[in-house]
Amino acid sequence: GVKGALITAVKGERKASSAFRLIAGGMFGKSTWEDDEKRRGPGSTEGCDTTVDDVAYKAKQVSINKAFAEMTMLVDGSELKTLVLCGDDMTTCKSNSDVLKEKDNIGQVVNVGCPMVKDFNRFSENAEEILDSCMNHLAETIEMSVEKDGLFNVIIVDSTANKIITSVFARTFKDFYDKY
């Protein structure tokens, strides 16, 4: 499956891998879905206890990023090359992934995303063209990085990446995995 493909792509071993799951609540289409989306993931009181949604969301994101950074310590080796899949907000994603750079075992962090999927409408006339453009962009960016600096050791999907870009990435990754 996908787990096996990811482990093989980073030249890992299944016995040395681990998994976790963040559970999201809410239902798309309900009047509260946008607020539910901001509240997904583990709770956090780190930083401050506040009821302002933006601040609470950022505090949760900081906790998630710190957890990702700590999990990289489970991967053998130093100077690990990490791919971070971003959504259409590259600035926030880069800020989120900065915590990874603080770890001694992380040598390189490569943020990739598809700004062209911002405000994507799957029913628009050019939807397929946009998705193809995103897939080509991801494939070219990842391939250039692999050719220059070798394979990735760690792959992280940032919270800014929505289901559209993660689906495109999964397809791109499958094609990339089949190629290499």
Side-chain angles (χ1 to χ4, degrees):
V2 173
K3 182 176 179 180
L6 289 172
I7 292 169
T8 302
V10 296
K11 298 190 183 211
E13 296 177 11
R14 186 173 288 276
K15 66 182 178 187
S17 71
S18 63
F20 69 97
R21 181 171 74 173
L22 297 179
I23 300 173
M27 185 180 293
F28 185 75
K30 298 298 274 181
S31 62
T32 62
W33 77 270
E34 288 175 319
D35 291 330
D36 294 340
E37 178 73 11
K38 290 177 185 173
R39 291 184 178 92
R40 74 172 186 218
S44 172
T45 58
E46 188 175 324
C48 60
D49 287 320
T50 181
T51 58
V52 178
D53 281 346
D54 259 0
V55 173
Y57 177 73
K58 288 177 184 170
K60 286 180 186 179
Q61 187 59 52
V62 166
S63 295
I64 292 168
N65 295 340
K66 285 183 179 178
F68 280 141
E70 290 302 319
M71 281 188 271
T72 64
M73 299 303 286
L74 299 172
V75 180
D76 287 335
S78 60
E79 298 295 310
L80 300 175
K81 184 177 177 185
T82 305
L83 177 119
V84 179
L85 178 65
C86 301
D88 55 19
D89 184 358
M90 291 297 289
T91 303
T92 300
C93 182
K94 286 177 182 175
S95 173
N96 290 346
S97 66
D98 281 347
V99 71
L100 295 169
K101 297 173 185 171
E102 297 170 8
K103 287 295 182 190
D104 293 336
N105 67 329
I106 302 292
Q108 183 180 13
V109 177
V110 178
N111 294 298
V112 297
C114 288
M116 68 279 294
V117 299
K118 186 172 180 71
D119 301 322
F120 177 75
N121 177 356
R122 64 183 177 154
F123 301 110
S124 70
E125 288 182 25
N126 63 343
E128 186 175 351
E129 181 181 310
I130 291 169
L131 292 177
D132 286 344
S133 173
C134 176
M135 193 161 94
N136 290 336
H137 175 72
L138 288 176
E140 289 171 10
T141 304
I142 293 169
E143 195 162 340
M144 282 190 322
S145 180
V146 167
E147 288 174 1
K148 181 180 176 196
D149 300 312
L151 295 173
F152 292 94
N153 306 100
V154 179
I155 299 173
I156 295 175
V157 179
D158 187 75
S159 65
T160 61
N162 61 25
K163 65 183 176 182
I164 301 294
I165 195 163
T166 53
S167 296
V168 172
F169 175 75
R171 181 160 178 208
T172 304
F173 189 81
K174 181 195 175 307
D175 293 347
F176 185 80
Y177 177 76
D178 290 344
K179 182 177 180 179
Y180 287 90

